[in-house]
Amino acid sequence: MRILSACPIVRKQPPGIVVSTAWWWRILFFGLSLRKVTFHLKKEEIRIVSRYLWFFRFRKRYRFGKVKAITYGYSNWNSGSTWSTAHDSLDQFSVGLQLNNDDEVRLFNFVGEGTFVNNSNLLPDWLFWDEYAFDLSGTQEGESKAFAELLSKLLNIPIVRPRFP
């Protein structure tokens, strides 16, 4: 279910592909943190414009040739996962750039409700039948993977794990 995830908006428009912060993320945080990434196909460059606290604007540009790989990582944001072996995950998938000098630039996080996980060796899965039966999850995994694959094909570079997820 799309409503259970916070994913950036990916659009194909001149001059190429434009990715920006999700609309409901903007509303939830009153526009405190916004990001817009433009993949300019003719100039072969990536433009990143970030805005923090409404006033502070940062701009960066990277040439396609300076990017060595696309980073794609996962982490579970559910704090209960450290204390319990059976829990509902809160997924965070990150997509970024790995530059030729091995610096990493995170582009966007795809966050949302994950699936129920039972990592217990003592309790069988059937004991949690109600959790599995009524479990809903967001679209963050599919959307983040599609975005990473799109960038990989666009720039003709591989997808790697980030050093720090």
Side-chain angles (χ1 to χ4, degrees):
M1 295 183 70
R2 187 161 175 79
I3 197 157
L4 297 175
S5 59
C7 300
I9 301 164
V10 181
R11 295 181 307 274
K12 181 182 176 189
Q13 60 182 199
I17 296 172
V18 178
V19 188
S20 57
T21 306
W23 64 269
W24 77 268
W25 196 264
R26 295 175 187 211
I27 293 169
L28 184 65
F29 292 103
F30 305 109
L32 284 171
S33 176
L34 302 175
R35 176 168 279 185
K36 181 179 177 182
V37 178
T38 306
F39 294 87
H40 200 294
L41 301 178
K42 289 184 182 175
K43 292 185 178 180
E44 293 189 346
E45 71 179 8
I46 303 163
R47 297 177 187 168
I48 303 173
V49 178
S50 302
R51 191 179 80 196
Y52 301 103
L53 300 174
W54 300 296
F55 305 109
F56 302 108
R57 190 175 291 236
F58 302 96
R59 297 173 191 262
K60 292 189 178 186
R61 288 183 184 199
Y62 301 100
R63 303 283 302 160
F64 284 3
K66 300 284 184 184
V67 181
K68 180 166 64 173
I70 302 299
T71 60
Y72 181 71
Y74 169 80
S75 62
N76 186 355
W77 278 7
N78 187 345
S79 60
S81 65
T82 56
W83 305 107
S84 174
T85 56
H87 61 278
D88 209 1
S89 65
L90 180 58
D91 297 339
Q92 185 252 340
F93 293 90
S94 62
V95 177
L97 307 172
Q98 184 181 48
L99 305 177
N100 287 335
N101 62 3
D102 284 335
D103 285 349
E104 291 184 5
V105 178
R106 183 170 295 185
L107 296 178
F108 285 100
N109 291 327
F110 295 73
V111 181
E113 178 71 23
T115 57
F116 182 77
V117 178
N118 179 19
N119 292 330
S120 170
N121 293 331
L122 301 173
L123 302 172
D125 286 346
W126 60 264
L127 188 63
F128 301 102
W129 69 269
D130 57 332
E131 295 287 347
Y132 284 112
F134 300 106
D135 193 23
L136 297 174
S137 61
T139 59
Q140 64 278 358
E141 182 175 8
E143 290 188 40
S144 64
K145 189 176 285 187
F147 180 57
E149 288 173 354
L150 171 72
L151 296 183
S152 174
K153 288 178 183 173
L154 179 71
L155 302 176
N156 196 26
I157 53 177
I159 299 174
V160 297
R161 289 181 167 268
R163 285 186 300 216
F164 305 106

